[in-house]
Amino acid sequence: MVSNCPDLRINSERLLEDFEQLSEIGATVGGGVSRLALSNEDLAARSWFADRIEEAGLSVRDDEVGNLSGLLCADNPKAKTLMIGSHLDTVPNGGRYDGAIGVLIALECLRRIKETGMKPRCHLEAINFTDEEGTWKSLFGSNGLIGKISAEDIDDSLQENMPFRAALHRAGIMMEEVQNARRDRDAILGFLEVHIEQGKTLHERDIDLGIVDRIVGRATYNVVFYGEAAHAGTTTADERRDALQGAAAFIIAAHKLVRADYPEGVVNCGHVSVVPDSFNVVPAEASLRVEFRHPDTDTLKEMESRIVRLARDCAVDHRLRVSTERALHRAAERMSGYLVKQIESACRAENVHCAPIASYSGHNAQIMNQMVPAGMIFLPSVDGISHNPREFTKWRHVELGANVLLRTILQLTM
């Protein structure tokens, strides 16, 4: 099958024109893009994408969680579907490549196959997933597609979701219908995603493309240290029950623990709030949001246990109480070995220098891999900059990634 794969190339000029047009939707002054999920800019990008699908002679499909697709159908209506895509939404003032380039490449691959008149043995679907970035609910579209979103997830029992529901309604997404977005796993052949790396590995090692073999697992905790408010001037060091001091000791100790014992892992604390939040009062409460990641699920569980225990130890050391509440847990995912081999084969055929790589950020492929085989291609990010207007990937690498993806699709479906 691989040896008979047609020697087909994407239309780079057309792809670049698409990229430049899309980059204008939500463009910011500094050269970035703001297309927050379900915003006016995101809805405009979806409309633009639907127009490109129809212009290509493909069928438009949208589902109950707002995922928007272009379909190239096989002759056999009962054939399976190979899904390819990523996301068009961005973080505030983000970059032009993150997510969007994967959607555009998927569309271009379907257009080229259709233009040749070739008949794939399965349906091909270029998909844009809703809210990958988590403006409202991270990876909402892909979780909905695999059946992990229900009306209860967006009610108000755990948090205020009225603005989210309003945004969904404005986009035509009905809360009571989201569970109907679930697809039949037996009808899907697999899922492929092209994305920028968002890290330095490929750029620094001068590697053309990365083949993702693992995507990290992630755990997020709300940690609150409880002490006692006191006068900052008259309370001695021995008398203090300083919640912020205990929190600070925990943050430092957590970083030391992960660096020493889990070199493939990372930990971060990017949010701290203090009560009563006064410069001359010993803090009575310090609330943290702590996140840690690791590419191995069992190791992530071990990290989780030790970091929670560390919080309790720091509380004891500073005469505090502490609560630890897990807010999110996402298991690490190992990408389909079969699809990894197919992408490797396509790279060899295209004479592309590739290497296996782990992803330290979450992606739709991670969610899809829970239901169907998933594979992922990384494009190098110059200096590893992402979620930033300075995000940049050389067009040469975009072309290489697009042609490798196209060849992989042909290997799988012709």
Side-chain angles (χ1 to χ4, degrees), residues 150-162:
S150 67
E152 288 71 28
D153 290 312
I154 45 182
D155 64 20
D156 287 320
S157 59
L158 298 178
Q159 64 181 33
E160 172 56 55
N161 275 313
M162 185 174 290

Side-chain angles (χ1 to χ4, degrees), residues 175-324:
M175 181 173 57
E176 62 275 12
E177 297 178 359
V178 294
Q179 67 273 10
N180 296 331
R182 179 184 176 90
R183 302 279 282 269
D184 178 4
R185 71 170 65 216
D186 293 332
I188 301 175
L189 180 67
F191 174 72
L192 295 169
E193 181 171 9
V194 175
H195 203 282
I196 60 171
E197 181 193 353
Q198 301 178 287
K200 296 182 179 181
T201 301
L202 299 174
H203 175 67
E204 289 187 340
R205 293 171 58 188
D206 195 25
I207 297 171
D208 291 330
L209 299 178
I211 304 177
V212 178
D213 57 1
R214 296 169 295 163
I215 300 181
V216 291
R218 172 182 164 197
T220 304
Y221 271 76
N222 295 320
V223 181
V224 184
F225 289 89
Y226 299 95
E228 185 175 55
H231 193 289
T234 62
T235 309
T236 67
D238 290 341
E239 293 173 329
R240 294 179 186 231
R241 296 178 59 224
D242 186 337
L244 183 57
Q245 191 176 146
F250 164 69
I251 293 169
I252 293 170
H255 279 282
K256 288 182 177 178
L257 171 68
V258 172
R259 282 199 302 269
D261 294 351
Y262 305 100
E264 285 193 288
V266 291
V267 64
N268 186 63
C269 178
H271 173 78
V272 179
S273 61
V274 176
V275 175
D277 194 21
S278 177
F279 75 97
N280 59 358
V281 180
V282 174
E285 291 183 19
S287 301
L288 319 175
R289 194 155 175 101
V290 182
E291 176 191 86
F292 34 99
R293 307 182 185 208
H294 199 281
D296 178 76
T297 296
D298 290 339
T299 307
L300 178 67
K301 290 179 182 177
E302 181 182 307
M303 282 177 62
E304 185 173 352
S305 176
R306 291 187 65 185
I307 288 175
V308 168
R309 189 164 65 247
L310 183 62
R312 294 169 182 163
D313 291 344
C314 288
V316 170
D317 291 344
H318 291 83
R319 299 190 302 122
L320 308 171
R321 292 184 300 108
V322 67
S323 69
T324 57

Side-chain angles (χ1 to χ4, degrees), residues 84-122:
I84 316 107
S86 194
H87 61 99
L88 296 177
D89 67 304
T90 74
V91 297
N93 200 26
R96 298 181 299 161
Y97 297 82
D98 178 1
I101 200 67
V103 176
L104 297 180
I105 288 174
L107 174 62
E108 175 58 22
C109 287
L110 266 61
R111 284 190 298 211
R112 287 297 293 127
I113 293 171
K114 181 174 175 58
E115 287 168 349
T116 65
M118 289 188 292
K119 296 292 185 181
R121 291 182 291 105
C122 68

